[in-house]
Each structure stands twice: as C-alpha cells, then as structure tokens.
Amino acid sequence: SGRLVVAVDGPSGSGKSSVSKQVARSLGAVYLDTGAMYRAAAWHCVNEGVDLDDADAVTEAVRGMELTQSTDPDSEHIAVGGHDVTEAIRTPEVTAVVSRVAGVIPVREILQGRQRAEIERAGRIVAEGRDVTTVVAPDAEARVLLTASEQVRMARRSGQLAAAASGVDAETLKAQVAGRDRTDSAHSSFERPADGVTLVDSSELDFDQTVAAVLAAVQLQA
Ligand code: C5P
C-alpha cells in the first residue's frame, strides 16, 4: 500500500470525526484530528496563563508546545509536555476559547506545518479538520467536504452537548458553539467545496451510508 492521503473537512455536527475514523479503519490508514491540535494549543495557553488577546504571547506559547498525539483511529490520546489532555481539551472552557487561538495566523502556520509533517511521515492517513482539503493538504489523493443541513447539525450537536454537559445549560452551550462557528467561518467556508473536492451531504444518510459515500469518493479520486 503506497501513499494515500485522504483529507476530510466539515463543520461541527457533520459527523466528520467518527466518519473519518471509520474511513481510516477501512483503509488501514492512520487518523489525524487537526481540531484536537487547536484544542491542545488552546488548553496549553489557558494552562500557562497566557493573555489570549496577546497574539505574540499566544504564538510563542504554541511554538514551544510539546505535543504528542496518537494517530491510531482506535485510541484517541493527546498530550502536552507529557501531560495527558485527551479529556481536558473537550471541556466547555477550552471549547469556548479555541476559535480565538485558532484565529491567530502564526498559530495556524505552526500547526499546519506540524500537520503536513505528520501527513508526510504517515503516508497512508485520513486527516480531518476545517482547512485540510484547501490549505494543509491540497495535494491529497482524495479530498472530501462533509456537510449536513443546519437542522441536522443542530440536532446532532444538541445530542453531543447533552452527552458532554457538565453543569452548563444546553442554551449556553448552543450559543457557544454558534459563536465558535461564526469565528471559524473567517478561515473556512463550508457553503461549497473548493475545486476538486467532493461534497458528501450526510443529511439524509446514516453513519454507515456516510462512511460508504466517503469511501466511494476516495475510490473515484485516488
Ligand atoms: O474539530 P473541532 O471542533 O474539535 O475543532 C476545534 C476548533 O479548532 C474549531 O472550532 C476551529 O476553531 C479550530 N480548527 C481550525 N482548523 C482546523 C481544525 C480545527 O481552525 N483544521
């Protein structure tokens, strides 16, 4: 099996992470969650007490961040400076600030560089995020934009939010996610796929059908 880079982008609630992991298993590939890297960067800045309004300080903190991340689709582990943050990066506190950290251009360049290095190293990989098809790996063998209708994404999100909720009410969490989407839209567009990117709309598909649709897109492109 030679080089096979599959890039999958999409908004939250599109089912991108679980679908990408299953696609990786089917292809015997590893899996890279780029969103987890932005979350780890945000966790690190908060943990170090960095002023999030100070772009230079945020950039320096992320440049010095020692990140280790599992690329096994069956074991999601991420650590900063040897400290396991797999669960800490999913808390509402980190989720509330991740878009601000991800909005710092030099932070994006640092993490995009690390993502490209990981993709090159792996060779056979499914890399998932928001700018993988367009910026990180526009030369990927297969590129997919995974979307779902606003209604379906909201429903899936409230399911996820309910599962993750820890004392914070659903309305607050929903508002936070909506705010994150607005901030994120500055550096990613999910309205239409870029040239050469296959659109998979999962609104009317169940999980297995969505995985099959992505695998079909991979087979057509690669
Ligand atoms: O995918 P996930 O929701 O975990 O991503 C968390 C955040 O990381 C996003 O809201 C976005 O701000 C940022 N992100 C990004 N570029 C990516 C992946 C994630 O800016 N490729």
Side-chain angles (χ1 to χ4, degrees):
S1 47
R3 177 189 142 107
L4 177 63
V5 178
V6 178
V8 179
D9 284 331
S12 68
S14 59
K16 177 173 53 108
S17 293
S18 43
V19 168
S20 296
K21 280 183 213 168
Q22 188 56 30
V23 168
R25 287 184 198 106
S26 298
L27 296 172
V30 296
Y31 162 74
L32 181 66
D33 178 353
T34 64
M37 296 173 73
Y38 287 94
R39 288 173 175 275
W43 177 88
H44 181 58
C45 289
V46 171
N47 187 247
E48 298 274 292
V50 173
D51 175 3
L52 297 183
D53 290 323
D54 184 342
D56 291 338
V58 168
T59 300
E60 282 325 297
V62 174
R63 204 187 302 284
M65 173 178 71
E66 190 213 314
L67 190 70
T68 47
Q69 186 175 18
S70 162
T71 55
D72 176 350
D74 292 309
S75 124
E76 215 180 292
H77 280 291
I78 186 159
V80 174
H83 179 82
D84 191 307
V85 294
T86 310
E87 273 153 39
I89 63 167
R90 308 282 167 195
T91 60
E93 289 74 20
V94 170
T95 301
V97 299
V98 62
S99 296
R100 287 168 70 192
V101 173
V104 177
I105 299 300
V107 164
R108 303 196 65 76
E109 291 167 350
I110 292 164
L111 295 186
Q112 286 159 351
R114 294 186 189 186
Q115 289 156 16
R116 288 189 189 107
E118 188 58 44
I119 288 168
E120 284 318 305
R121 205 178 62 77
R124 193 172 178 83
I125 185 167
V126 178
E128 165 252 298
R130 285 172 168 69
D131 61 351
V132 182
T133 62
T134 52
V135 179
V136 175
D139 60 341
E141 277 71 25
R143 294 182 294 155
V144 171
L145 178 61
L146 188 60
T147 58
S149 70
E150 188 62 32
Q151 200 186 340
V152 167
R153 297 199 299 114
M154 280 298 172
R156 287 180 186 160
R157 270 178 193 159
S158 31
Q160 285 171 358
L161 294 179
S166 49
V168 185
D169 70 278
E171 281 311 306
T172 307
L173 286 173
K174 225 172 183 174
Q176 283 175 354
V177 176
R180 184 155 65 95
D181 276 1
R182 263 196 308 281
T183 317
D184 286 345
S185 66
H187 41 79
S188 50
S189 164
F190 302 125
E191 300 304 310
R192 53 194 160 67
D195 267 357
V197 177
T198 300
L199 178 69
V200 172
D201 185 339
S202 71
S203 304
E204 316 257 289
L205 305 178
D206 67 20
F207 178 76
D208 289 343
Q209 291 169 326
T210 307
V211 170
V214 173
L215 285 170
V218 170
Q219 229 148 27
L220 276 177
Q221 292 180 56

